[in-house]
């Protein structure tokens, strides 16, 4: 078919990587946005404020007018509560949140079929920049707590409900849902796309220390062990590095997979 599918790593609220200067291949795309797809492996970051800011609106509209469809799994730098407010629709056989008609959030544990290729998506990851703690936005004196940390030179904190959401890690229900969906596909997919690495990938990439194993890295390890898959593509670690020929971490690179 005429479809093409591309994958890249975290963009953290700055989609400049998708401009035709960086991603020049789009100049050859047809005007049918549905024929070309770009997958972002989490930390999309343009759904952050509880009410869409003018900057977010500008960039989301900019991404929407591109001649491709942009899809993403959630990372840890997203406003998960806000993502959950968008309408849920079916797309290529799996559930998505529609942020814009061609800017879509892939829900956790869903399988999408594109040109007969199966893609299992599972977002989320542990924030590793929270060593100095989590302050609750609901606390009346949250600003004072933040100022105190700043005074001590402790900037590695987040504010729950403002810059950190516990939904960054999956619930038991989401994890079970993923396993149930994989079973429907005989535990066979072409691609596993996530933001977080699995536990073994984390260790093999030398990330231990900065990144720790958690419920999600262990879950992904389990998923990989019982699933026949060709490639696992993940982000989060801000490097372009192949762990082996099947498991690949992406950051600025944009790679064609279909």
């Amino acid at each position: 078919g005429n479809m093409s599918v591309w994958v890249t790593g975290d963009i953290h609220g700055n989609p400049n990587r998708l401009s035709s200067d960086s991603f020049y291949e789009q100049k050859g795309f047809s005007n049918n946005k549905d024929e070309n797809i770009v997958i972002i492996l989490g930390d999309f970051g343009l759904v952050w404020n509880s009410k869409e800011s003018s900057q977010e609106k500008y960039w989301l509209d900019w991404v929407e007018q591109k001649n491709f469809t942009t899809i993403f799994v959630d990372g840890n730098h997203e406003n998960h509560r806000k993502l959950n407010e968008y309408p849920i629709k079916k797309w290529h056989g799996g559930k998505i949140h529609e942020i814009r008609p061609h800017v879509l959030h892939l829900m956790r544990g869903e399988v999408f079929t594109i040109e007969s290729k199966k893609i299992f998506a599972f977002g989320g990851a542990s924030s590793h920049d929270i060593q100095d703690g989590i302050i609750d936005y609901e606390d009346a004196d949250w600003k004072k707590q933040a100022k105190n940390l700043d005074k001590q030179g402790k900037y590695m904190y987040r504010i729950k409900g403002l810059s950190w959401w516990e939904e960054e890690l999956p619930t038991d229900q989401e994890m079970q849902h993923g396993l149930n969906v994989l079973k429907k596909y005989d535990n066979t997919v072409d691609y596993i796309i996530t933001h977080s690495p699995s536990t073994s990938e984390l260790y093999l990439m030398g990330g231990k220390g900065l990144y720790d194993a958690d419920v999600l890295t262990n879950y992904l390890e389990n998923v990989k062990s019982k699933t026949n898959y060709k490639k696992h593509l993940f982000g989060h670690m801000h490097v372009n590095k192949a762990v082996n020929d099947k498991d690949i971490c992406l950051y600025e690179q944009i790679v064609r997979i279909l």
Side-chain angles (χ1 to χ4, degrees):
N2 297 335
M3 299 277 297
S4 71
V5 180
W6 307 74
V7 187
T8 190
D10 318 16
I11 62 167
H12 292 281
N14 177 1
N16 269 324
R17 193 181 314 152
L18 304 183
S19 71
S20 48
D21 293 343
S22 306
F23 179 36
Y24 60 87
E25 291 91 345
Q26 67 190 274
K27 292 174 182 168
F29 291 176
S30 70
N31 284 329
N32 180 351
K33 294 177 192 281
D34 297 316
E35 286 184 344
N36 302 287
I37 294 166
V38 176
I39 302 172
I40 295 170
L41 297 168
D43 284 358
F44 179 67
L46 280 168
V47 177
W48 184 253
N49 297 297
S50 51
K51 194 175 171 302
E52 202 171 276
S53 70
S54 55
Q55 191 184 355
E56 283 172 332
K57 182 184 184 321
Y58 171 83
W59 281 119
L60 287 168
D61 292 345
W62 181 87
V63 176
E64 171 62 27
Q65 57 79 34
K66 289 280 177 195
N67 57 346
F68 49 82
T69 297
T70 300
I71 66 180
F72 66 97
V73 289
D74 51 285
N76 46 298
H77 290 93
E78 325 280 2
N79 183 337
H80 296 89
R81 303 229 171 119
K82 177 74 177 167
L83 281 176
N84 285 329
E85 289 171 13
Y86 286 92
I88 294 176
K89 300 201 172 168
K90 260 292 189 27
W91 182 82
H92 284 275
K95 286 192 192 135
I96 55 106
H97 285 120
E98 187 184 275
I99 314 300
R100 291 288 188 275
H102 297 89
V103 182
L104 314 174
H105 167 236
L106 306 181
M107 292 179 67
R108 293 176 182 176
E110 294 288 304
V111 168
F112 303 88
T113 305
I114 301 172
E115 297 269 278
S116 83
K117 296 277 189 252
K118 308 268 184 287
I119 296 174
F120 175 73
F122 206 98
S126 286
S127 290
H128 53 88
D129 44 4
I130 53 174
Q131 299 89 311
D132 295 325
I134 304 283
I135 292 169
D136 196 336
Y137 186 49
E138 313 255 304
D139 285 358
D141 67 344
W142 72 269
K143 280 188 173 149
K144 201 170 117 197
Q145 294 176 38
K147 263 205 185 102
N148 282 339
L149 286 171
D150 289 342
K151 264 191 205 136
Q152 299 166 52
K154 293 184 175 173
Y155 302 108
M156 290 294 195
Y157 64 87
R158 294 284 196 83
I159 298 154
K160 178 180 170 179
L162 196 64
S163 58
W164 180 86
W165 290 267
E166 60 203 322
E167 292 91 334
E168 64 178 31
L169 286 175
T171 61
D172 290 347
Q173 199 181 351
E174 285 174 324
M175 292 189 285
Q176 190 54 53
H177 173 69
L179 298 176
N180 296 348
V181 171
L182 282 168
K183 207 173 246 171
K184 271 191 223 156
Y185 290 91
D186 296 323
N187 289 348
T188 303
V189 294
D190 296 279
Y191 296 98
I192 296 175
I193 62 165
T194 66
H195 180 59
S196 173
S198 71
T199 304
S200 65
E201 287 162 347
L202 183 68
Y203 292 161
L204 288 166
M205 287 187 62
K208 190 169 162 34
L210 181 56
Y211 302 86
D212 287 318
D214 59 48
V215 61
L216 177 53
T217 65
N218 289 338
Y219 171 71
L220 295 176
E221 197 64 38
N222 178 30
V223 162
K224 281 170 46 193
S225 70
K226 54 169 65 159
T227 305
N228 299 310
Y229 70 98
K230 295 194 178 92
K231 297 258 187 257
H232 174 213
L233 301 162
F234 60 98
H236 193 49
M237 299 183 81
H238 291 198
V239 287
N240 302 295
K241 185 176 177 182
V243 177
N244 51 50
D245 59 355
K246 283 179 80 165
D247 304 313
I248 297 159
C249 183
L250 288 178
Y251 188 28
E252 308 97 344
Q253 259 182 317
I254 304 179
V255 176
R256 185 173 183 176
I257 60 167
L258 193 71

